[in-house]
């Protein structure tokens, strides 16, 4: 059917997992009429999957106004220390405790937020509550998108609920239907990469389990390392005794649905038996895969529909949040008329290389897990036992620190080869997965600093572009006039601050809606219209 004329919605999102909802929020906050469909009920949240919303994602949650809401929705009690603990068994010996691995003890200067370790249902609840509060968003539970077609004018979708099927029209279609995406298959988009190994996770209720951590503190995540070589992990999920037990990789000779076998593994890692109720298992693959493209006409892939990564490092959802922000502002700009014809196509150009880098780092984390961390005699109360544990401790610090200290992967990725950023030839700081060096080079995340207690520089950025003016003598009237003429939203934020000038190294920095630098300089270029046309995707720079 023809999709010309006024559409039912401007954007339709398939899938109300965290990434689908994040995309809908980014769009709806920009006034884009957005429909999001999900087969689950409105109060049906997934459990036993994601736990970490990393600090970069929390910066976006802060921008959306839900960072504190997520913390309030966290059901894990405060007596669970937000550490990462490597232990022989619950009643055994601690090999290494990584303090604040998942919720930092202190707020660092280079980020506006700290990570939040909260179970999947808390993440989904927070995002869904926000969706339901937005006038421009329509959430349809118990609804499935069965099919779609597209032409140069828009997208036509078949939407089905309990009352039957109907046709909905839209300008764009966001595919957020997960790792087994049927729509990705329909588009015949190949996923390049490999399956690393298979895992089994069990979500259950065990009210007395917390009491059994005798010599070992109860942490957000406990890796059990002993000569059983199960590669098992235990994660508290609530104050009511809910837990997630994760075994990776799958032990040889054990079937995925063999709960008694996994229960006995857990008993051994804890050191004794205890009552367990309501076990629910999930068998899944750890994969390192990327779609060949995230763009396909008026359809775009986000999250697991576009890329799959190892769970070690906690980047599955968090990469998807980055996707949601990138494509969200670009679709909104296009629909609002100020985004250029080349803007949306830069989504794949920017995000795919970033995801590839993060996936490769997570695959390294995968290689140093399970049996690789086990040594003979490591449970013994003896000199050779002490030596074995010390060897494992040193190996973890050397090889696995980046798993919990992924500052570079969170904050250091950059879009420097993007055709909508304008570089100045400055050499970039080295890109290291575990370490971050702030840089105001175009394409990098805008360097952050605190202006006062709870007063983040990012809080002063506008929803569109922000021109950060660090010298009050610079005249910005010309670019403000040009932005107004083309309808590009531009906020000029003047900050007379020595620390900011040292951090940004230039008097002016043009910040994109996603908090990345688009251009910087000490004076405006002679042709400000050209500058704005490049950063909004109206003309090509590279």
């Amino acid at each position: 059917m023809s999709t010309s004329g006024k559409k039912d919605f401007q954007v339709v999102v398939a899938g109300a997992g965290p990434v689908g909802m994040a995309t809908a929020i980014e769009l709806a906050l920009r006034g884009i009429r957005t429909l999001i469909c999900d087969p689950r009920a409105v109060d049906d949240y997934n459990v036993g999957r994601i736990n970490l919303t990393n600090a970069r994602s929390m910066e976006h949650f802060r921008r959306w106004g839900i960072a504190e809401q997520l913390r309030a929705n966290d059901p894990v009690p405060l007596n669970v220390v937000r550490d990462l603990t490597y232990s022989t068994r619950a009643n055994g010996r601690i090999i290494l405790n990584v303090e604040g691995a998942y919720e930092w003890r202190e707020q660092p200067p280079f980020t506006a937020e700290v990570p939040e370790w909260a179970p999947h249902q808390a993440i989904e609840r927070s995002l869904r509550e926000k969706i339901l509060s937005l006038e421009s968003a329509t959430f349809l539970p118990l609804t499935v998108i069965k099919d779609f077609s597209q032409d140069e004018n828009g997208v036509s979708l078949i939407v089905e609920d309990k009352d039957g099927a109907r046709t909905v029209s839209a300008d764009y279609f966001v595919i957020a239907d997960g790792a087994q995406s049927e729509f990705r298959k329909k588009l015949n988009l190949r996923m390049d990469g490999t399956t690393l190994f298979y895992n089994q996770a069990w979500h259950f209720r065990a009210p007395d389990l917390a009491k059994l951590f005798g010599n070992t503190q109860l942490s957000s995540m406990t890796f059990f390392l002993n000569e059983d070589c199960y590669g098992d992990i235990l994660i508290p999920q609530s104050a009511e005794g809910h837990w997630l037990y994760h075994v990776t990789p799958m032990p040889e000779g054990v079937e995925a649905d063999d709960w008694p076998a996994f229960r006995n593994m857990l008993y051994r890692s804890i050191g004794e038996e205890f009552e367990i109720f309501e076990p629910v298992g999930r068998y899944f693959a750890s994969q390192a895969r990327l779609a060949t493209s995230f763009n396909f006409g008026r359809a775009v892939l986000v999250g697991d529909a576009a890329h799959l990564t190892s769970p070690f490092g906690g980047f599955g959802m968090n990469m998807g949040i980055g996707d949601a922000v990138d494509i969200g502002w670009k679709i909104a700009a296009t629909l609002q008329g100020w985004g250029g014809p080349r803007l949306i196509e830069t989504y794949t150009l920017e995000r795919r290389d970033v995801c590839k880098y993060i996936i490769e780092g997570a695959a390294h984390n995968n290689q140093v897990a399970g049996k690789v961390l086990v040594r003979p005699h490591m449970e013994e109360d003896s000199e050779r036992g002490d030596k074995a544990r010390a060897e494992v401790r040193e190996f973890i610090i050397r090889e696995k620190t980046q798993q919990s200290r992924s500052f570079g992967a969170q904050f250091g990725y950059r879009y420097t080869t993007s055709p909508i950023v304008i570089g100045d030839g400055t050499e970039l700081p080295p890109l290291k997965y575990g370490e971050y060096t702030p840089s105001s080079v175009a394409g990098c995340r805008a360097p952050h600093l605190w202006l006062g207690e709870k007063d983040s520089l990012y809080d002063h950025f506008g929803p569109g572009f922000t021109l950060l003016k660090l010298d009050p003598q610079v005249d910005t009237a010309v670019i403000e006039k040009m932005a107004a003429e083309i309808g590009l939203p531009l906020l000029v934020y003047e900050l007379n601050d020595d620390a900011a000038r040292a951090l940004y190294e230039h008097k002016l920095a043009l910040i994109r809606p996603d908090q990345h630098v688009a251009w910087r300089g000490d004076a405006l270029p002679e042709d400000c219209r050209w500058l704005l046309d490049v950063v909004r995707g109206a003309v090509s720079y590279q």
Side-chain angles (χ1 to χ4, degrees):
M1 65 172 287
S2 172
T3 55
S4 60
K6 183 174 173 59
K7 310 297 191 299
D8 298 316
F9 295 91
Q10 292 175 289
V11 179
V12 173
V13 180
V19 176
M21 287 191 286
T23 310
I25 289 169
E26 187 70 35
L27 289 162
L29 283 171
R30 299 180 184 280
I32 301 303
R33 293 181 293 108
T34 304
L35 170 67
I36 181 167
C37 302
D38 196 84
R40 294 172 293 165
V42 69
D43 57 351
D44 183 4
Y45 308 114
N46 281 322
V47 297
R49 298 189 180 187
I50 303 155
N51 288 272
L52 176 64
T53 305
N54 70 22
R56 179 57 180 142
S57 293
M58 287 297 286
E59 289 181 334
H60 293 306
F61 277 44
R62 180 190 185 99
R63 184 166 53 84
W64 299 332
I66 60 172
E68 293 308 317
Q69 186 66 22
L70 175 57
R71 294 185 175 106
N73 283 336
D74 182 2
V76 179
L78 294 177
N79 68 303
V80 176
V81 185
R82 269 50 174 184
D83 292 353
L84 166 60
T85 301
Y86 297 88
S87 177
T88 56
R89 302 183 194 272
N91 61 355
R93 294 174 173 81
I94 291 178
I95 298 167
L96 176 67
N97 188 66
V98 184
E99 290 189 358
Y102 297 120
E103 287 186 14
W104 304 336
R105 297 286 198 271
E106 296 181 358
Q107 171 72 63
F110 57 79
T111 172
E113 283 289 341
V114 296
E116 174 63 19
W117 183 264
H120 194 122
Q121 64 269 29
I123 299 169
E124 288 202 338
R125 181 187 298 275
S126 303
L127 291 164
R128 199 161 299 172
E129 288 170 347
K130 184 65 177 184
I131 286 277
L132 296 174
S133 75
L134 296 174
E135 184 177 347
S136 295
T138 300
F139 177 72
L140 291 184
L142 304 173
T143 303
V144 177
I145 299 173
K146 302 294 289 184
D147 201 0
F148 82 99
S149 60
Q150 62 175 315
D151 59 26
E152 67 275 11
N153 296 312
V155 183
S156 178
L157 306 103
I158 306 299
V159 176
E160 185 176 83
D161 59 17
K162 61 181 179 60
D163 297 321
R166 66 187 186 279
T167 301
V168 170
S169 60
D171 292 291
Y172 292 96
F173 180 36
V174 176
I175 297 169
D177 58 345
Q180 303 302 319
S181 174
E182 291 299 322
F183 294 117
R184 183 187 65 233
K185 296 171 186 175
K186 175 181 172 66
L187 294 172
N188 199 29
L189 287 174
R190 187 177 72 252
M191 291 280 273
D192 292 333
T194 186
T195 297
L196 302 170
F197 50 66
Y198 292 91
N199 315 267
Q200 181 69 26
W202 292 91
H203 185 269
F204 59 85
R205 187 170 59 86
D208 296 328
L209 176 51
K211 303 173 185 176
L212 305 181
F213 278 73
N215 299 327
T216 304
Q217 72 175 31
L218 185 54
S219 295
S220 289
M221 179 181 286
T222 301
F223 276 77
F224 295 115
L225 300 176
N226 52 60
E227 291 181 72
D228 290 338
C229 295
Y230 297 149
D232 49 346
I233 304 165
L234 191 62
I235 306 170
Q237 298 285 284
S238 77
E240 288 71 45
H242 293 95
W243 302 78
L244 179 62
Y245 181 56
H246 191 116
V247 180
T248 179
M250 276 284 294
E252 295 180 9
V254 179
E255 296 296 324
D257 60 354
D258 189 353
W259 165 240
F262 285 100
R263 181 186 59 199
N264 289 335
M265 293 180 198
L266 177 57
Y267 285 162
R268 285 187 58 79
S269 291
I270 297 301
E272 61 182 283
E273 295 186 6
F274 53 95
E275 284 193 302
I276 300 177
F277 306 93
E278 306 153 22
V280 177
R282 184 170 71 96
Y283 177 70
F284 63 101
S286 284
Q287 302 189 64
R289 296 186 185 275
L290 271 171
T292 51
S293 175
F294 299 175
N295 291 74
F296 196 92
R298 289 178 172 268
V300 294
L301 306 175
V302 295
D304 285 355
H307 42 72
L308 297 168
T309 187
S310 160
F312 288 107
F315 273 101
M317 177 197 76
N318 291 295
M319 276 197 300
I321 299 295
D323 298 344
V325 172
D326 190 281
I327 193 58
W329 80 262
K330 291 173 179 176
I331 288 178
T334 302
L335 290 171
Q336 290 164 349
W338 59 269
R342 300 176 178 181
L343 184 60
I344 290 177
E345 69 187 35
T346 66
Y347 169 54
T348 294
L349 297 175
E350 292 190 342
R351 290 300 301 167
R352 193 176 189 277
D353 284 349
V354 168
C355 293
K356 182 175 183 290
Y357 172 73
I358 293 172
I359 288 169
E360 289 171 351
H364 169 79
N365 296 337
N366 234 53
Q367 294 168 5
V368 286
K371 294 180 181 179
V372 178
L373 301 175
V374 174
R375 301 291 185 274
H377 319 300
M378 63 188 301
E379 292 188 77
E380 286 184 6
D381 183 13
S382 64
E383 184 177 341
R384 67 179 184 179
D386 291 340
K387 183 178 179 181
R389 290 188 292 276
E391 181 181 330
V392 173
R393 183 183 309 112
E394 291 167 7
F395 182 83
I396 292 169
I397 292 170
R398 184 175 68 251
E399 298 293 338
K400 288 183 74 68
T401 295
Q402 73 166 32
Q403 180 175 321
S404 56
R405 186 186 167 86
S406 55
F407 295 162
Q410 289 185 57
F411 308 110
Y413 66 82
R414 63 282 299 254
Y415 302 136
T416 47
T417 60
S418 172
I420 59 169
V421 301
I422 301 172
D424 58 12
T426 302
E427 184 177 352
L428 288 161
L431 181 56
K432 297 182 180 180
Y433 194 95
E435 296 181 21
Y436 167 62
T437 302
S439 173
S440 67
V441 171
C444 295
R445 167 182 164 274
H448 175 269
L449 74 159
W450 290 97
L451 306 180
E453 186 176 356
K454 299 184 180 180
D455 185 12
S456 163
L457 172 63
Y458 288 179
D459 296 340
H460 298 272
F461 291 172
F465 277 80
T466 299
L467 183 61
L468 182 59
K469 179 178 173 180
L470 298 173
D471 183 344
Q473 302 303 314
V474 176
D475 186 357
T476 59
V478 173
I479 196 169
E480 293 177 64
K481 181 175 180 292
M482 288 288 182
E485 288 177 358
I486 60 178
L488 183 147
L490 177 67
L491 170 74
V492 176
Y493 178 57
E494 185 174 318
L495 179 62
N496 191 6
D497 184 273
D498 289 339
R501 281 188 284 271
L503 198 56
Y504 278 81
E505 301 178 316
H506 290 270
K507 298 176 182 179
L508 297 170
L510 185 62
I511 314 298
R512 305 186 335 175
D514 59 358
Q515 300 169 341
H516 280 254
V517 179
W519 167 88
R520 66 177 185 172
D522 287 321
L524 291 173
E526 289 186 9
D527 190 348
C528 286
R529 177 59 187 264
W530 172 82
L531 167 61
L532 295 178
D533 281 349
V534 169
V535 301
R536 68 189 181 97
V539 299
S540 180
Y541 172 63
Q542 298 180 4

